[in-house]
Amino acid sequence: MAHKIRLFDRHWHLPKSKPLRIGLGILLVAFGLLGFLPVLGFWMIPLGLLVLSVDLPIVRRWRRQLTVWWHRKRGDDQAPAETGSAEKAAETRRATSEMTRLQK
């Protein structure tokens, strides 16, 4: 199964090859550091970290912590039950349980 990343309720497919995904993530971060140049931008850094989070556990941990923090800040921890979206509720439970597991 091809890896996907989700950003703002949109899904993007990533390459199947692990070295290619890691290379793509590193390139995005490296070019993002040159964001002051035309065409390149600082927006590439978080996108590169998002791609790297598929394969690197430390980056995945940072992404999960950011996701949990963001949802708690917005007050979304109870929103899935109120809206009745089973998929969103399951995703929130997975994020919370993985966050708990990673903190141990």
Side-chain angles (χ1 to χ4, degrees):
M1 182 169 95
H3 290 279
K4 293 189 293 187
I5 56 174
R6 190 183 80 166
L7 185 64
F8 302 118
D9 294 330
R10 299 201 59 200
H11 296 271
W12 285 280
H13 292 278
L14 294 175
K16 290 182 180 181
S17 169
K18 182 177 181 176
L20 194 58
R21 283 191 308 268
I22 291 174
L24 177 65
I26 290 172
L27 276 175
L28 284 167
V29 171
F31 285 145
L33 294 173
L34 303 173
F36 57 89
L37 297 173
V39 180
L40 305 175
F42 294 112
W43 58 269
M44 298 172 98
I45 295 172
L47 185 61
L49 291 173
L50 187 63
V51 171
L52 287 172
S53 73
V54 172
D55 295 309
L56 301 178
I58 185 90
V59 182
R60 186 176 9 213
R61 186 174 306 126
W62 295 339
R63 179 180 51 90
R64 286 291 189 186
Q65 289 173 349
L66 180 66
T67 302
V68 169
W69 173 82
W70 179 257
H71 285 286
R72 284 184 181 160
K73 182 179 182 223
R74 288 185 51 209
D76 286 349
D77 52 350
Q78 295 168 358
E82 293 172 4
T83 59
S85 172
E87 181 183 349
K88 199 171 189 178
E91 182 178 291
T92 303
R93 280 193 302 273
R94 277 193 303 271
T96 306
S97 66
E98 183 168 329
M99 185 69 186
T100 305
R101 182 184 61 84
L102 291 173
Q103 288 178 348
K104 290 182 181 179

